Amino acid sequence: MLIFWKEPIQTAIKIIRGKKYAGVAVISDSNVISLYANTFVSCLKKAKLPCSVIEFPAGDSNKTRSTKEKIEDSLLKTGAGRDWVIVALGGGVTGDIAGFTASTFMRGIDWINIPTSLLSMVDASLGGKTGVNTPSGKNLIGTFHNPVAIIISETFLQTLPHLEWLNGIAEIIKHAVIMDRKFFEFLERVLPIGPHSNRKIIRKIIRRSIEIKKSIVKQDERELSIRSILNFGHTVGHAIEKSSEYKISHGRAVATGIIVEAAISMELGLFPHSSFKRLTELLIQAGFKSLVQKKFSSDLIYFMRTDKKKRMGKINFVLIKDIGKVYSNKNLFTFEVPEKTLKKVLNRFGLKGLEY
Ligand SMILES: NC(=O)c1ccc[n+]([C@@H]2O[C@H](COP(=O)([O-])OP(=O)(O)OC[C@H]3O[C@@H](n4cnc5c(N)ncnc54)[C@H](O)[C@@H]3O)[C@@H](O)[C@H]2O)c1
Ligand SMILES: [Zn+2]
């Protein structure tokens, strides 16, 4: 159940009451806890609902099995049982780890997701994937476990740092590029925007972006075919993140990935040059200043090939035909690109590797 624009805490309490859960465990990271969790917990107490708040240190580097174990120990210590509900209050890291915990605690309990970052609203909270990172790679251990409700409220965004805002904007642009030309044109008219911009516009871009992701996931929940188009910009994006040892933010890496992967599509004669120009301009307009680095130290292709989710070292790309249209062939949505083409495009951008 997706709930839009209602007062988030009272809405969650209403659901919790309706489902008659015996107790509530609010899971939040160290940043979000001081901003929002305390208010939530005092509301739960006022509503006479047994509750406990579990905090973990903020950051993707803490999305680990060891953090999950600590959360589970806290749940057991508080006396949480099968009739409890977990509430994830935070960004994508919180949603992923709280959802994963809910999926295995007492063999699986309900959870409610209240995303507080733009990226988690338009991307991470949707599609039922939960999980943690391991030293071998990101998101390699996890489950599919949908929350009973996702409560979307733009009010949280007021406190979101600029870089985190841009991380969400990159995914929103990606959604427009792979699926919806009209939405892309709308973004061309309204960007750049920030958390304090016109509320109607913010709501519109969040809502449309969610609709796009939902419609794709609905067709292919387990990512066997079309869901993979959501990885547009991410083959190169992940390699950039990895080669920078995660110093470059996900949004900036994906923005660069979008450009490079669009250039690959152009090199293969699929994507028109005029659309490529528009795409680059929109990303710059949105706030991504230096999309491509000038000096490089390591080989991005190496990082693409060693991605743990790749099969047999093959590098596959989502290709685009135009703004709003991906290329597909016989229900295939990702394609191996000749190394020669890849090198040619990367060299053109000076993207052999990156230096910071
Ligand atoms: N499950 C999925 O399908 C899926 C999809 C995409 C991404 N993800 C995962 O999501 C994570 C990225 O999500 P994210 O960007 O939200 O990361 P995040 O949860 O780390 O949040 C980013 C930062 O913003 C802070 N924050 C969140 N909301 C805030 C607010 N309202 N005010 C102030 N600060 C706030 C957090 O404390 C954190 O420091 C990654 O781990 C990624 O793997 C999952
Ligand atoms: Zn992403």
Side-chain angles (χ1 to χ4, degrees):
M1 178 171 46
L2 252 169
I3 299 161
F4 286 96
W5 326 133
K6 295 249 170 73
E7 201 293 309
I9 296 178
Q10 292 310 326
T11 307
I13 290 176
K14 214 168 147 191
I15 296 167
I16 292 163
R17 277 228 166 100
K19 294 226 173 223
K20 298 194 167 53
Y21 294 115
V24 188
V26 180
I27 300 177
S28 222
D29 76 19
S30 46
N31 294 332
V32 176
I33 212 146
S34 53
L35 290 165
Y36 302 107
N38 296 335
T39 326
F40 194 179
V41 169
S42 53
C43 290
L44 287 168
K45 281 188 178 149
K46 250 194 224 154
K48 297 210 164 50
L49 287 161
C51 61
S52 121
V53 55
I54 302 172
E55 173 183 345
F56 69 94
D60 205 53
S61 58
N62 296 306
K63 202 177 88 176
T64 58
R65 283 175 285 188
S66 125
T67 304
K68 179 174 179 265
E69 203 176 297
K70 286 183 190 133
I71 293 172
E72 287 158 349
D73 288 343
S74 302
L75 283 168
L76 293 168
K77 226 169 151 185
T78 350
R82 297 192 74 169
D83 45 6
W84 275 51
V85 64
I86 284 176
V87 175
L89 181 69
V93 167
T94 305
D96 275 8
I97 204 159
F100 187 22
T101 305
S103 73
T104 58
F105 189 74
M106 304 271 162
R107 298 202 169 80
I109 62 170
D110 283 356
W111 70 296
I112 294 170
N113 198 358
I114 310 182
T116 61
S117 70
L118 183 60
L119 185 137
S120 59
M121 288 178 200
V122 301
D123 189 357
S125 67
L126 310 155
K129 283 185 184 173
T130 77
V132 292
N133 306 323
T134 72
S136 303
K138 291 181 76 175
N139 302 319
L140 293 178
I141 309 283
T143 55
F144 284 95
H145 187 52
N146 272 304
V148 292
I150 305 166
I151 302 171
I152 306 286
S153 171
E154 85 289 356
T155 53
F156 294 112
L157 301 173
Q158 304 279 328
T159 52
L160 196 68
H162 180 65
L163 212 67
E164 302 301 342
W165 171 266
L166 279 183
N167 284 342
I169 293 288
E171 305 291 352
I172 288 168
I173 293 176
K174 175 197 78 181
H175 286 152
V177 175
I178 58 173
M179 194 82 169
D180 188 343
R181 189 181 181 93
K182 269 201 173 144
F183 183 41
F184 185 92
E185 285 163 358
F186 178 75
L187 294 175
E188 283 183 318
R189 289 196 295 279
V190 299
L191 292 182
I193 58 165
H196 303 284
S197 300
N198 183 306
R199 178 194 284 235
K200 256 192 176 165
I201 293 175
I202 294 177
R203 285 184 170 186
K204 185 166 173 171
I205 64 164
I206 292 175
R207 196 167 193 136
R208 184 63 199 132
S209 200
I210 288 175
E211 282 166 2
I212 292 170
K213 175 147 184 190
K214 261 187 72 187
S215 74
I216 295 167
V217 171
K218 206 171 128 197
Q219 295 174 61
D220 173 27
E221 208 137 355
R222 298 270 152 168
E223 200 169 323
L224 300 170
S225 63
I226 195 171
R227 187 169 178 166
S228 58
I229 68 172
L230 291 162
N231 295 327
F232 179 63
H234 282 63
T235 304
V236 172
H238 283 150
I240 293 174
E241 274 185 292
K242 260 197 271 174
S243 74
S244 80
E245 288 166 351
Y246 297 95
K247 280 189 208 93
I248 287 205
S249 71
H250 183 68
R252 188 152 163 241
V254 167
T256 312
I258 288 174
I259 292 295
V260 176
E261 293 181 24
I264 293 169
S265 307
M266 191 166 65
E267 184 64 33
L268 293 170
L270 293 167
F271 190 56
H273 184 261
S274 55
S275 300
F276 180 76
K277 204 167 157 261
R278 274 176 79 179
L279 180 52
T280 316
E281 275 165 12
L282 183 66
L283 285 159
I284 291 167
Q285 184 183 326
F288 297 99
K289 284 192 193 102
S290 58
L291 283 169
V292 178
Q293 309 288 315
K294 286 209 178 78
K295 287 174 76 190
F296 308 101
S297 63
S298 55
D299 195 348
L300 276 187
I301 296 178
Y302 166 79
F303 285 103
M304 287 183 221
R305 194 165 282 127
T306 54
D307 190 318
K308 284 283 188 283
K309 281 186 181 166
K310 297 277 166 295
R311 290 193 185 93
M312 295 179 296
K314 282 189 180 160
I315 314 168
N316 286 312
F317 289 91
V318 175
L319 302 170
I320 46 174
K321 267 188 4 190
D322 209 341
I323 286 162
K325 256 193 208 135
V326 291
Y327 173 73
S328 69
N329 189 359
K330 295 185 188 134
N331 216 26
L332 276 181
F333 294 89
T334 58
F335 302 90
E336 214 184 333
V337 168
E339 188 148 331
K340 226 175 90 190
T341 313
L342 191 54
K343 277 191 175 146
K344 193 172 164 194
V345 171
L346 291 175
N347 284 338
R348 183 179 319 140
F349 284 105
L351 264 171
K352 272 187 191 142
L354 294 170
E355 193 174 272
Y356 310 96

